[in-house]
């Protein structure tokens, strides 16, 4: 097969000349093709079949033990000018980066099949969607891209119609961590990845395209590519409000996207619909509102910690048609990870007999890949080509102290400052250094394809006459009391906080004005059915002025780190709050 588009054919053949594959396979995304690839991977050991009775059509992939996560220190943004990548990115000049990568690619696919994977990020008919083609020598990548994107013939047809696409070249190489790089060339709409077969390094539609390249493209085209979940909240009146929310990793994004309302709320008729758990593309519609799509069509979720208690919707979709990566298995070949209440691991994530002394049975970053349509809270609005209108944007982080349960930004500029100032404490699973506060603006630190200073300006630019922008809020589900225990129950009960936000949007909920924003009075939150002492709720909603003065001062230093690129309006907003707190 080939394409009617010369630019695509020419590129594929140039890559083949460089990488020297044994054969080229153009992916059409069909069931037959997927069956063939699955059989191939079972034969090579890339896939291990899981228990067909309990988990029909489910497979386990074990990645190389040194290839288990994204590699930020080996991820580069290769713009012509270093300042355009910004201090938030590792930078390499495009000439040097291409030379480095092309030397690695030379002959790297000898004896392998080169797969050409056309894909569309977003519903095929959506004007907000964008297409790409990933060339890869990994059938595991193809199988994941088929779930995570609209992959195959329909995407290729759109690419041929439009004549343009993002070029992504990926090879697992020899999986040597010393020869591993993930390079982005936003000015050329190109991605080059070598030496990893794992997740965000290899499924180029996800972080590489849908965030790093798309954020750059979005800036010049007047939209936003964000690291946000999208959720629909249906009230007892039958109205659905859509909310996008950004959290750094380890803050329960997937759980919030698939929230199950508390019993009392369910009885009253509240429902929650999942549009996406990781990425949100949004742009202003003709009516001035921001419309959002999830560019992905599946979930690449963290397995450990996922259970019927934390995320029953996720659990309900994991017993068929799923790919598991680096989980453990039980004696009867069912997938297993820490946090499950049932089952006993017999083989760990590396396929060794499980021994506590080797560490956790499942890798802490082990994953499931599953279609969004398998989720019990899936809504067909996920396929709406126009996207869904956003009522609210939520920023959040993991903060043991200082940051209240929720506050509302005064206006868009203040909201952008709240997003830019986002920070979270690291967890053991992420880095080994626990409790260190890291600033992660809009949860985009690892994913913004250009200078954060310019990115903040781009966010500010949406505040135009006639714009009906969503209200912006900040949440912190992770406040701890003197006893070291979480003060807020979290999970489904987070809907209580979302309800207050939606009432603020409708203009029907009270709030108290403070220098850091509007907070609910204790009486404004529905705590029916919660055993939450009044004093604890007061603490969750308290603004510690001295602590916030220090925090705002640190935020000022952070913005100053972007030098001339930092938007003056944002710095003025920071100074205004400092003055109000002083
Ligand atoms: O470690 C990886 O390659 C996966 S990272 C990831 C996967 C799904 C959703 N979000 C993330 C992330 O790091 O934000
Ligand atoms: Mn993510």
């Amino acid at each position: 097969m080939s394409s009617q588009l010369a630019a695509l054919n020419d590129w594929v053949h140039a890559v083949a000349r460089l990488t020297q594959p044994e054969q080229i396979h153009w992916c059409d995304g069909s069931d037959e093709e997927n069956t063939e690839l699955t059989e191939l991977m079972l034969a090579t050991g890339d896939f291990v079949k899981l228990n067909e009775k309990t988990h029909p059509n489910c497979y386990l992939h074990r990645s190389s033990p040194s290839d288990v996560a994204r590699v930020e220190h080996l991820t580069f943004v290769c713009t012509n000018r270093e300042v355009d990548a910004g201090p938030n990115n590792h930078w390499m000049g495009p000439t040097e980066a291409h030379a480095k990568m092309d030397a690695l690619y030379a002959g790297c696919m000898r004896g392998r099949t080169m797969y050409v994977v056309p894909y569309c990020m977003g519903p095929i008919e959506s004007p907000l969607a964008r297409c790409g083609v990933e060339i890869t020598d990994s059938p595991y990548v193809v199988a994941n891209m088929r779930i995570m994107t609209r992959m195959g013939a329909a995407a290729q047809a759109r690419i041929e119609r439009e004549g343009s696409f993002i070029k992504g070249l990926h090879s697992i190489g020899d999986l040597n961590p010393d020869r591993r790089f993930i390079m982005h060339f936003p000015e050329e709409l190109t991605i080059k990845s070598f030496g990893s077969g794992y997740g965000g390094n290899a499924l180029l539609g996800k972080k590489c395209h849908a965030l790093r390249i798309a954020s750059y493209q979005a800036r010049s085209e007047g939209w936003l590519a964000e690291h946000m979940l999208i959720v629909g909240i249906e009230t007892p009146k039958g109205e659905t409000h859509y909310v996008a929310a950004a959290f750094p990793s380890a803050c329960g994004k997937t759980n919030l996207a698939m929230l199950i309302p508390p019993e009392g709320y369910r009885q009253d008729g509240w429902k929650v619909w999942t549009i996406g758990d990781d990425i949100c593309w949004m742009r202003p519609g003709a009516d001035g509102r921001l419309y959002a799509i999830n560019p992905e069509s599946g979930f690449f979720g963290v397995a450990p910690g996922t259970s019927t208690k934390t995320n029953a919707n996720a659990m309900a979709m994991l017993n068929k048609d799923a790919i598991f990566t680096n989980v453990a298995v039980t004696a009867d070949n069912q997938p297993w990870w820490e946090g499950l209440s049932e089952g006993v691991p017999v083989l760990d994530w590396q396929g060794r007999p499980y021994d506590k002394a080797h560490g956790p049975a499942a890798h802490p970053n082990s994953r499931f890949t599953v279609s969004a349509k398998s989720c019990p809270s899936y809504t067909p609005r996920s396929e709406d080509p126009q996207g869904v209108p956003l009522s609210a944007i939520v920023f959040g982080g993991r903060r043991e102290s200082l940051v209240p349960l929720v506050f509302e930004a005064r206006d868009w500029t203040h909201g952008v400052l709240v997003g830019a100032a986002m920070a979270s404490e690291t967890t053991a699973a992420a880095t080994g250094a626990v409790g260190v506060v890291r600033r992660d603006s809009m949860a985009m630190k690892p994913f913004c394809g250009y200078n954060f200073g310019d990115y903040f300006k781009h966010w500010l630019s949406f505040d135009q006459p006639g714009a009906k922008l969503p209200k912006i809020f900040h949440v912190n589900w992770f406040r701890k009391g003197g006893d070291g225990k979480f003060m807020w129950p979290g999970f489904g009960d987070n809907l209580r906080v979302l309800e207050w936000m939606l009432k603020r949007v409708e203009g029907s909920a009270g709030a108290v004005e403070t220098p850091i924003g509007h907070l609910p009075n204790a009486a404004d939150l529905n705590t029916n059915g919660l055993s939450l002492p009044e004093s604890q709720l007061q603490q969750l909603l308290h603004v510690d002025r001295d602590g916030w003065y220090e925090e705002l001062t640190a935020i000022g230093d952070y913005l100053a780190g972007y030098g001339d690129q930092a938007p003056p309006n944002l710095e003025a907003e920071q100074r205004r709050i400092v003055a109000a707190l002083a």
Side-chain angles (χ1 to χ4, degrees), residues 493-575:
D493 288 309
N494 293 336
L495 184 56
R496 299 169 189 277
V497 176
L498 293 167
E499 180 188 10
W500 176 75
M501 293 178 193
L502 298 184
K503 286 193 168 149
R504 290 292 296 165
V505 169
E506 287 170 350
S508 60
V512 51
E513 202 176 330
T514 80
I516 67 161
H518 303 297
L519 275 82
N521 299 289
D524 296 321
L525 278 182
N526 177 358
T527 53
N528 290 343
L530 273 189
S531 57
L532 185 68
E534 174 69 20
S535 61
Q536 196 159 310
L537 185 56
Q538 294 290 354
Q539 250 179 296
L540 280 164
L541 300 175
H542 175 67
V543 177
D544 164 6
R545 294 177 83 105
D546 292 342
W548 273 102
Y549 183 85
E550 268 179 44
E551 176 80 1
L552 261 294
T553 308
I555 291 167
D557 295 343
Y558 172 71
L559 291 179
Y562 291 94
D564 291 346
Q565 247 68 21
N569 309 6
L570 217 52
E571 294 186 308
E573 183 70 13
Q574 178 266 347
R575 283 194 301 273

Side-chain angles (χ1 to χ4, degrees), residues 160-494:
E160 285 167 0
R161 224 171 35 240
E162 289 183 334
S164 64
F165 58 97
I166 305 293
K167 291 182 182 134
L169 173 53
H170 167 253
S171 170
I172 55 174
D174 55 7
L175 294 173
N176 179 348
D178 296 331
R179 289 152 52 81
R180 181 175 296 159
F181 294 100
I182 325 295
M183 304 276 193
H184 303 76
F185 304 86
E187 290 147 348
E188 302 167 40
L189 303 181
T190 294
I191 305 154
K192 291 187 172 180
S193 164
F194 188 89
S196 167
Y198 192 87
N201 304 328
L203 313 179
L204 300 187
K206 194 172 182 53
K207 304 297 188 181
C208 300
H209 176 166
L211 287 176
R212 298 194 190 96
I213 298 289
S215 59
Y216 182 94
Q217 232 180 347
R219 181 185 172 212
S220 59
E221 296 176 4
W223 50 284
L224 286 162
E226 295 301 322
H227 190 201
M228 291 179 176
L229 64 91
I230 311 170
V231 72
I233 298 162
E234 189 176 328
T235 69
K237 284 187 272 177
E239 248 177 307
T240 304
H241 284 284
Y242 295 93
V243 174
F247 296 86
S249 50
C251 288
K253 234 168 109 188
T254 302
N255 297 345
L256 183 62
M258 297 175 193
L259 181 149
I260 295 178
E263 185 56 33
Y265 276 75
R266 280 206 298 275
Q267 279 166 7
D268 290 347
W270 289 80
K271 293 187 183 123
V272 173
W273 303 107
T274 308
I275 303 261
D277 78 330
D278 196 37
I279 301 178
C280 164
W281 286 359
M282 49 197 177
R283 74 158 60 204
D287 59 0
R289 298 187 72 184
L290 274 189
Y291 284 77
I293 61 163
N294 172 14
E296 301 189 287
S297 56
F299 307 117
F300 187 65
V302 181
T306 305
S307 69
T308 40
K309 188 169 167 278
T310 60
N311 193 337
N313 278 332
M315 289 304 291
M317 58 180 171
L318 296 185
N319 45 26
K320 66 176 172 63
D321 305 327
I323 298 172
F324 294 88
T325 302
N326 294 342
V327 298
V329 288
T330 62
D332 63 347
N333 224 15
Q334 296 194 46
W336 192 91
W337 51 82
E338 277 71 17
L340 287 182
S341 54
E342 281 172 24
V344 178
V346 295
L347 295 181
D348 73 6
W349 63 278
Q350 297 187 57
R352 302 172 300 188
Y354 172 56
D355 178 350
K356 244 198 218 149
H358 289 152
H363 189 277
N365 195 31
S366 55
R367 299 273 165 173
F368 54 79
T369 319
V370 65
S371 167
K373 287 188 175 148
S374 300
C375 188
S377 52
Y378 170 81
T379 162
R381 284 302 300 269
S382 307
E383 303 301 320
D384 190 330
Q386 302 311 319
V388 293
L390 292 180
S391 298
I393 288 177
V394 179
F395 295 120
R398 174 183 284 270
R399 300 292 293 267
E400 269 188 27
S401 56
L402 184 70
V403 181
L405 177 64
V406 59
F407 61 90
E408 174 193 328
R410 229 176 330 275
D411 55 23
W412 186 257
T413 302
H414 179 214
V416 174
L417 180 69
V418 169
M422 256 175 75
S424 205
E425 282 143 13
T426 52
T427 60
T431 59
V434 184
V436 180
V437 176
R438 296 245 165 89
R439 243 168 253 293
D440 184 358
S441 299
M442 280 83 171
M444 283 287 278
K445 166 71 184 65
F447 307 120
C448 182
Y450 62 102
N451 190 312
F452 255 167
D454 295 325
Y455 170 73
F456 302 148
K457 276 184 210 143
H458 183 49
W459 262 85
L460 292 171
S461 74
F462 286 82
D463 193 5
Q464 298 285 334
K468 298 197 183 86
L469 295 167
K471 270 188 182 289
I472 297 180
F473 298 86
H474 188 282
V475 298
N476 175 22
W477 315 132
F478 300 96
R479 269 297 278 278
K480 284 188 179 167
D483 56 2
K485 291 195 179 139
F486 289 116
M487 295 167 79
W488 177 249
F491 300 105
D493 288 309
N494 293 336

